[in-house]
Amino acid sequence: MKNSVTLTIDSQNVTVPEGTSIADAAESIGIKIPTICYHPSLTPPAICRVCTVEVEGQRTLQPACVVPVGEGMHVKTDTDRVKTARKVILELLASTVNLEEAPEIQEQIDETGADTERFEGGVKRHFEVKEDNPFYIRDYAQCIMCWRCIQVCADDVQNTYALTWGKRGLESHVATFLDEAMPNTTCVFCGNCVGICPTGALKGLIEYRSEQKKEQE
Amino acid sequence: MSSLNQFANDIRENQISRAALFWLRVFVQHAQNNVLRSDLWIKTGMEEGAVISGLNAADPAARVALLSNYDFFKAVRLKDQKSFSGKELDSLDWNRKYDLSLLPHVLESDDAIETRLEALWQEIGAVSPQDRAFEAVLENRASIWGENIPGRSLLPEILHEAQSIYDGWLSTPVLKRISRALKLPLSDIYGVTEFFTMYYTQPVGKKIIRICEDSACTMRGSQEIQKSLCKNLKINPGETTEDGEYTIEPIRCLGLCDHAPAALVNNTRHFELSLDKTDALLANTPDHPQTRNKIGGMVKIALSNINTIDPGSFEDYQEQGGLAALKKTLQQLTPEDVIESVKASKLVGRGGAAFPTGMKWQFTAGNPPGPRYVICNADESEVGAFKDRVLLDGDPFRIIEGLLIACYAVGAEQGFIYIRGEHRPSYERFVHAAAVMKEAGWLGTGIGGTDFNCHIAVRRGAGAYICGEETALMEALEGKRGFPRLRPPFPTTHGLWGKPTVINNVETLAKIPSIIIHGGAWYAALGTAESAGTKLFSVSGSIQRPGVYEVPFGVPLRHLIYDLAGGIAPGRELQAILTGGAAGTFLKPEHLDTPISYEAFKPIQGTIGAGTMIVFDDQVDLRHILADISGFFAHESCGKCYPCQIGSQRQAEILERIKQGRGLAEDSETLLELAQVMADTSICGLGQSAGWATVDAIKRWPNLLK
């Protein structure tokens, strides 16, 4: 049996097993903390930072998806500082990527009142749709760099290692070895990446084609 | 119709791999009456090829190219006797069996094909001289880079070596060879080459010219020099000349601010460039030595040997008292004594974070028994920072001595020194110093005749500022992309390969030998009550004598800027000093009489950081400086967490717009909020501090960005 830990989240007492993340502890008392990159089946990379919360005594905000609870911890999920952080991160994301097919992120944008045009006019993630295999397409203009596809392809699930990161900074993107077409990589077309993609960046070819057709009509 | 001569020429010109000649020879040697079954050909070739070092017989590429690019062969499918030749051979189904034979035109010649092939084989062989050299590197990698070090961690070094052997870039066959040797996925290797700016997967010019584009250099005209070069070579920055001779690559701070404007041509440093000396740049023949240290200050501890000893001579070092601290440590002190001494010195980390060094050592030493490491962080790459470079270039043995004492204190038997990729002369210094010390019995097993064993591995960075962040550096040392890790856990318990690790800045380690010799109390007494000892400052910009100065804490800022660095040029006025580097804060002329110390800087919001001071006179437009700094962070963001990946870019765009005179009313407010969110939510110090200078400038000059 694991030891249990008692803390407060938004002034409510909560007792959970040791090692539970702040996000899970919050959820157990009905406080939903938004996330983007987090997926329960994968190693959380903790990179989107929208799950950010205030933990008393910490200099910076903390990612609730990975930070474990501590005895006597005081967590606040709804302060102005947290709200501003979430709003600005969503504004930044919206200025970079096409989020039309990311309904969960759209919802977060509505909830936080993020101004999607605030950072307009800068460099965007711009890529042509890659249609290089019979199974799925890659539309990286919709890619939010949550790393899920890279992770399922690598150690977290499939151990296939077809995917990696190209460049760095805002230019970083999901890539294959030398940007080769999928059939020339180690990809086994298992479909895990398509299934786990939270936006329209990875999509079955049939679905993509039928959408295209509808658009033309 | 292709001829054997054409084939031989193609090999000589690297149009086709030498392995193709090997496969042709295997065919001729084993064919009976000019017929050989395809499966036997491949089986025999694989067997014979396996013993030729550097030849990858398992790779079908050369074999297929031989068949389909040259009109030499025909193939008859056994099943139905269907015959294939020319381009049809490109898409042959190799699951079937074929009878292969050479076409008559190849056989018809005055000399027998065997004779002609044998002559070619003698001349060309299966493996190029480059392949042979690279194979030797791969085979000897354990003895070159250290035994018992996991294979993947050698990837960055092997990529560097491969580039130096193969014309400066990494071709697909070379990357595939590395992938096989290290048993690493190709995608992983590609990800690493993409992260670091000094690796190339496309051909580059024979000479890569990198002219520094940061504050100290641009203030002295580096951009004009770059423009003039580009014009003469008829290329834009980032491009290569048509003849493949030159690539001009934009680069941010090279850490040669004391010799501004500066450039690198391949690995060679060029100081004090001027428009009339571009010939030396193009010919890569600088008229000065590769290391030159401008130093000063009245108390010399870390700087004591600089410019007084030959940094290549271990004898010189020992004559000046070198090794005395290590000898004292090994003969008289327990690891606990060493840690107590360092704690008593009140020395704090000199890389910027100012964490107490003795505590860091104690935390690491206190782990349960098992492997642990000490790393010297020599990846100094921040704008305006060059004090570590001076120590690396001028006194390598002292750094290694400090590193060995740290290893002894925490119980580590393996130390690393990770040197910025652009500082090749410094890297060579350390490779030499480590070899000499090993030869003399001061590195390796049984150091100095005691039972203390310690190995030191010297590693190169490859163009990524983020790898100065300690966890990113560990990722890079492990052979991965330099993504900072989530903390906790901290390196003192989970560092390199998840083991307890101490990571110290170069200057921190350079102080250790003196602390051991004279005692902690002596060192602590040199500074003020709350800021112990001395500090090195890299002073550059609008200053008469840019250089590295060592001062005890407590001296007035004026002493550093005017007495030591010579002040501002006549006829100009001091406008501001950017303290603490790109992630620092601005001080004004009214602060010149403030003592330099952590406690005195706090109320005026000055930054000690790593000791960077960039001085601006009244002719500098600070809006340009802010745009440059934010551009630096956007370029160096690793791209891991959203707030830094996107935020650093948007910050740079806004400041660039302001610099061009197109500011908006809400810009200051936006920048302040953005900087706050980046500070609150970014994973590492780069993102957290990327907005500090801008926030500070807005505070000090509220109308600057309006």
Side-chain angles (χ1 to χ4, degrees):
Chain A
M1 270 294 280
K2 274 189 177 172
N3 296 329
S4 60
V5 170
T6 302
L7 67 155
T8 72
I9 300 178
D10 296 340
S11 308
Q12 293 185 55
N13 276 319
V14 52
T15 303
V16 287
E18 192 180 359
T20 307
S21 72
I22 293 175
D24 286 345
E27 191 152 15
S28 75
I29 51 168
I31 297 172
K32 176 95 181 111
I33 293 176
T35 57
I36 293 178
C37 65
Y38 180 79
H39 189 284
S41 308
L42 302 178
T43 312
I47 52 182
C48 75
R49 316 304 270 190
V50 298
C51 68
T52 238
V53 294
E54 219 172 307
V55 176
E56 207 177 280
Q58 293 285 341
R59 183 175 52 89
T60 58
L61 298 177
Q62 300 292 310
C65 67
V66 288
V67 173
V69 293
E71 186 61 44
M73 201 182 236
H74 296 295
V75 177
K76 294 202 174 97
T77 73
D78 208 24
T79 63
D80 284 347
R81 194 173 158 205
V82 168
K83 284 182 192 161
T84 304
R86 287 183 188 153
K87 176 180 76 84
V88 170
I89 290 170
L90 290 163
E91 288 169 343
L92 290 170
L93 196 58
S95 71
T96 313
V97 204
N98 172 1
L99 295 172
E100 278 170 25
E101 295 184 64
E104 287 172 20
I105 300 176
Q106 291 288 358
E107 245 170 62
Q108 292 176 14
I109 287 174
D110 293 343
E111 276 167 25
T112 54
D115 170 6
T116 54
E117 283 168 16
R118 187 177 188 191
F119 295 103
E120 265 307 298
V123 178
K124 279 181 174 287
R125 198 162 282 138
H126 179 76
F127 290 95
E128 298 296 317
V129 176
K130 290 180 200 287
E131 201 182 319
D132 60 9
N133 69 75
F135 303 102
Y136 59 92
I137 60 102
R138 295 179 286 152
D139 179 6
Y140 289 142
Q142 295 196 52
C143 172
I144 55 170
M145 286 304 285
C146 66
W147 295 13
R148 287 186 191 177
C149 57
I150 298 178
Q151 288 186 304
V152 281
C153 193
D155 312 7
D156 270 359
V157 178
Q158 190 68 24
N159 290 296
T160 294
Y161 306 102
L163 297 175
T164 185
W165 301 263
K167 302 276 179 68
R168 67 183 188 210
L170 193 73
E171 289 184 312
S172 59
H173 57 274
V174 179
T176 58
F177 173 64
L178 291 169
D179 289 321
E180 292 256 21
M182 271 303 160
N184 298 338
T185 71
T186 50
C187 176
V188 293
F189 303 98
C190 68
N192 275 319
C193 58
V194 180
I196 211 158
C197 177
T199 72
L202 299 178
K203 202 179 276 178
L205 185 63
I206 295 173
E207 186 189 348
Y208 175 70
R209 290 259 169 86
S210 73
E211 282 172 9
Q212 294 269 324
K213 215 170 158 188
K214 261 186 215 155
E215 250 172 55
Q216 278 166 12
E217 287 164 9
Chain B
M1 204 175 284
S2 355
S3 69
L4 213 50
N5 287 341
Q6 178 67 47
F7 175 62
N9 274 336
D10 286 355
I11 295 181
R12 288 188 197 104
E13 286 166 15
N14 285 324
Q15 300 290 321
I16 183 168
S17 151
R18 286 168 196 239
L21 176 62
F22 164 81
W23 283 104
L24 182 57
R25 185 166 172 262
V26 170
F27 177 86
V28 170
Q29 284 180 339
H30 296 276
Q32 304 279 331
N33 298 323
N34 189 29
V35 176
L36 182 61
R37 228 172 64 199
S38 55
D39 56 323
L40 294 176
W41 182 45
I42 294 168
K43 183 170 170 276
T44 317
M46 299 266 267
E47 281 166 12
E48 293 185 2
V51 298
I52 303 178
S53 171
L55 175 74
N56 181 12
D59 182 1
R63 189 159 36 87
V64 172
L66 169 68
L67 255 61
S68 55
N69 294 0
Y70 299 89
D71 199 13
F72 289 169
F73 283 94
K74 75 168 183 187
V76 176
R77 189 154 64 196
L78 293 189
K79 181 174 79 166
D80 54 5
Q81 295 297 302
K82 188 170 184 317
S83 178
F84 302 87
S85 63
K87 274 287 157 199
E88 293 167 344
L89 296 172
D90 201 8
S91 46
L92 220 51
D93 177 0
W94 288 93
N95 293 316
R96 305 272 167 230
K97 287 174 184 161
Y98 306 86
D99 269 337
L100 298 169
S101 52
L102 284 166
L103 295 170
H105 77 87
V106 190
L107 300 168
E108 284 160 10
S109 167
D110 297 340
D111 293 323
I113 177 115
E114 289 87 350
T115 324
R116 286 190 290 155
L117 264 187
E118 218 40 53
L120 273 183
W121 183 253
Q122 291 307 324
E123 181 206 329
I124 293 172
V127 182
S128 71
Q130 288 174 320
D131 288 342
R132 214 170 293 136
F134 189 49
E135 285 308 312
V137 168
L138 291 176
E139 268 167 39
N140 300 320
R141 59 183 188 262
S143 62
I144 302 172
W145 289 298
E147 315 277 345
N148 310 322
I149 290 177
R152 175 166 193 155
S153 74
L154 300 183
L155 176 63
E157 287 295 319
I158 288 173
L159 292 172
H160 274 302
E161 287 302 314
Q163 282 197 161
S164 72
I165 290 170
Y166 294 101
D167 310 315
W169 69 289
L170 303 157
S171 66
T172 308
V174 170
L175 291 170
K176 288 188 172 168
R177 179 70 192 95
I178 296 172
S179 163
R180 273 194 304 132
L182 296 181
K183 299 189 172 67
L184 271 182
L186 281 169
S187 60
D188 265 13
I189 296 176
Y190 181 65
V192 171
T193 64
E194 284 280 286
F195 191 85
F196 295 93
T197 58
M198 294 174 80
Y199 297 132
Y200 301 87
T201 51
Q202 299 291 325
V204 279
K206 285 185 192 141
K207 296 196 182 87
I208 302 172
I209 302 177
R210 300 180 175 98
I211 299 179
C212 182
E213 293 186 315
D214 247 301
S215 315
C217 287
T218 50
M219 279 153 62
R220 286 180 156 81
S222 69
Q223 281 172 335
E224 287 69 29
I225 296 166
Q226 171 153 315
K227 268 183 206 142
S228 143
L229 268 189
C230 284
K231 202 177 152 202
N232 290 343
L233 296 173
K234 301 188 179 67
I235 51 174
N236 292 315
E239 292 177 357
T240 301
T241 53
E242 251 174 49
D243 60 4
E245 279 299 312
Y246 298 103
T247 299
I248 292 195
E249 206 172 79
I251 190 157
R252 304 308 296 260
C253 191
L254 284 172
L256 300 169
C257 325
D258 43 348
H259 306 300
L264 278 188
V265 179
N266 294 344
N267 295 312
T268 307
R269 293 168 176 166
H270 289 250
F271 301 156
E272 281 127 27
L273 307 176
S274 64
L275 278 170
D276 55 358
K277 287 199 296 189
T278 51
D279 285 353
L281 207 53
L282 290 173
N284 199 9
T285 51
D287 59 0
H288 52 75
Q290 282 298 290
T291 62
R292 198 173 61 189
N293 304 312
K294 296 182 179 175
I295 59 158
M298 291 191 297
V299 184
K300 291 206 180 81
I301 296 172
L303 292 180
S304 60
N305 285 338
I306 309 286
N307 294 349
T308 65
I309 64 162
D310 170 1
S313 165
F314 193 33
E315 290 74 33
D316 250 25
Y317 177 66
Q318 292 178 75
E319 272 169 28
Q320 292 299 319
L323 282 195
L326 182 60
K327 286 175 187 163
K328 180 179 175 185
T329 300
L330 297 180
Q331 288 158 10
Q332 304 171 23
L333 305 178
T334 64
E336 294 73 29
D337 294 337
V338 175
I339 290 172
E340 280 315 312
S341 192
V342 175
K343 280 172 78 178
S345 77
K346 297 187 189 162
L347 175 67
V348 299
R350 295 296 193 228
F355 190 84
T357 306
M359 299 247 288
K360 194 186 264 188
W361 291 14
Q362 191 171 40
F363 290 156
T364 306
N367 282 286
R372 69 252 341 246
Y373 305 100
V374 178
I375 302 170
C376 172
N377 182 347
D379 196 39
E380 178 183 61
S381 333
E382 191 168 298
V383 176
F386 51 93
K387 49 110 185 160
D388 290 343
R389 188 207 85 226
V390 164
L391 296 176
L392 296 167
D393 287 354
D395 202 4
F397 294 105
R398 174 188 293 270
I399 317 296
I400 298 182
E401 188 176 351
L403 187 52
L404 283 171
I405 294 169
C407 286
Y408 177 80
V410 304
E413 296 196 342
Q414 176 72 56
F416 289 89
I417 172 151
Y418 186 86
I419 302 178
R420 179 178 183 185
E422 286 87 346
H423 288 337
R424 182 62 71 92
S426 324
Y427 166 76
E428 282 161 7
R429 279 269 144 83
F430 272 84
V431 170
H432 170 75
V436 170
M437 286 182 75
K438 191 171 181 190
E439 183 67 37
W442 289 99
L443 273 185
T445 46
I447 290 177
T450 67
D451 58 1
F452 174 53
N453 304 326
C454 195
H455 302 270
I456 302 288
V458 188
R459 294 283 187 271
R460 280 167 281 189
Y465 164 63
I466 186 60
C467 292
E469 198 281 339
E470 57 186 23
T471 60
L473 189 152
M474 288 172 200
E475 291 284 299
L477 262 187
E478 291 180 13
K480 302 175 192 161
R481 287 169 68 91
F483 286 135
R485 297 174 181 170
L486 303 173
R487 281 179 296 191
F490 292 95
T492 48
T493 55
H494 297 74
L496 194 60
W497 296 299
K499 305 293 180 205
T501 302
V502 164
I503 179 162
N504 281 142
N505 171 259
V506 175
E507 182 190 345
T508 313
L509 291 174
K511 302 269 172 69
I512 296 296
S514 307
I515 290 172
I516 296 297
I517 293 291
H518 303 293
W522 162 83
Y523 183 81
L526 285 171
T528 65
E530 290 172 54
S531 308
T534 62
K535 175 83 194 84
L536 298 189
F537 287 92
S538 316
V539 186
S540 68
S542 324
I543 195 87
Q544 303 266 51
R545 288 196 295 272
V548 174
Y549 298 95
E550 184 162 14
V551 295
F553 279 113
V555 301
L557 184 55
R558 187 186 298 280
H559 172 66
L560 175 65
I561 302 298
Y562 283 87
D563 301 344
L564 298 176
I568 314 292
R572 299 204 184 170
E573 305 259 330
L574 173 65
Q575 179 180 190
I577 306 166
L578 180 56
T579 61
T585 50
F586 293 92
L587 292 183
K588 292 175 159 182
E590 71 222 45
H591 299 122
L592 278 171
D593 295 310
T594 308
I596 299 175
S597 70
Y598 290 102
E599 62 272 28
F601 266 34
K602 206 171 176 186
I604 59 166
Q605 276 138 35
T607 313
I608 301 287
T612 299
M613 300 253 173
I614 311 176
V615 180
F616 305 112
D617 66 25
D618 52 356
Q619 311 226 339
V620 175
D621 187 336
L622 291 181
R623 288 171 296 193
H624 287 230
I625 301 299
L626 292 176
D628 284 357
I629 287 174
S630 60
F632 171 80
F633 285 122
H635 183 258
E636 296 299 338
S637 167
C638 77
K640 184 172 179 175
C641 65
Y642 291 12
C644 175
Q645 175 206 107
I646 312 174
S648 64
Q649 175 69 26
R650 299 294 171 244
Q651 174 179 265
E653 285 163 354
I654 294 169
L655 285 161
E656 183 62 31
R657 191 161 44 65
I658 294 171
K659 172 183 157 186
Q660 292 171 2
R662 297 186 289 116
L664 303 171
E666 67 269 25
D667 280 344
S668 289
E669 195 194 323
T670 308
L671 287 167
L672 289 173
E673 188 170 287
L674 185 54
Q676 182 60 43
V677 171
M678 287 171 73
D680 267 345
T681 60
S682 293
I683 290 179
C684 79
L686 188 154
Q688 288 170 13
S689 65
W692 284 357
T694 302
V695 171
D696 186 71
I698 293 173
K699 255 190 239 160
R700 291 184 202 265
W701 296 279
N703 292 318
L704 181 69
L705 302 182
K706 284 189 177 152

